[in-house]
Amino acid sequence: MAKPLIPENLISLHHGEELLRGKSIEAIQANAKLRLHMEIVECAMDVLDSFRSYPTDDEDLKVIQVLGMRQFNAFASADLGPGRYSLITGVRSGYGPVWTSLQTRSA
């Protein structure tokens, strides 16, 4: 018998996360403060993404842009989180994979 590509424990973990996510979305839809919180997170991510795309040759600003990309990715890797236990660790640590590379533009 062939071994499954994905271990059963990981599959059941994913199903559990999806169940929690669904319940969290229902709770957010039922609570105006939680909906507002999610809108604020979305706006913060928009600001971070806009800052990332600002053209600059200033090395100090590029460092700040990379930190902003890391924060954006921390939000994104937390799946904007309802029901995801990674939300707390991802956002608090400020670490996450940088999905995009810093691209500089010629002035």
Side-chain angles (χ1 to χ4, degrees):
M1 185 168 133
K3 191 172 183 178
L5 294 176
I6 301 174
E8 185 60 38
N9 285 344
L10 292 179
I11 292 172
S12 66
L13 176 64
H14 175 75
H15 290 306
E17 287 179 338
E18 290 302 317
L19 177 68
L20 288 175
R21 184 176 192 275
K23 288 181 179 181
S24 295
I25 289 172
E26 289 173 8
I28 290 168
Q29 290 172 340
N31 186 306
K33 286 185 179 182
L34 291 176
R35 286 194 311 270
L36 181 59
H37 174 77
M38 294 306 289
E39 289 178 27
I40 291 169
V41 169
E42 179 186 20
C43 290
M45 290 181 73
D46 286 345
V47 168
L48 290 168
D49 187 51
S50 295
F51 185 61
R52 174 198 59 83
S53 62
Y54 182 80
T56 184
D57 290 326
D58 182 349
E59 292 300 316
D60 292 335
L61 185 55
K62 288 179 186 178
V63 170
I64 302 296
Q65 286 176 317
V66 169
L67 293 174
M69 290 184 334
R70 290 176 68 183
Q71 187 61 53
F72 177 93
N73 287 322
F75 279 121
S77 67
D79 192 27
L80 291 183
R84 301 292 180 139
Y85 55 84
S86 61
L87 176 68
I88 295 169
T89 57
V91 172
R92 283 190 182 166
S93 69
Y95 293 103
V98 176
W99 294 342
T100 58
S101 62
L102 180 62
Q103 300 191 7
T104 59
R105 298 180 186 157
S106 301

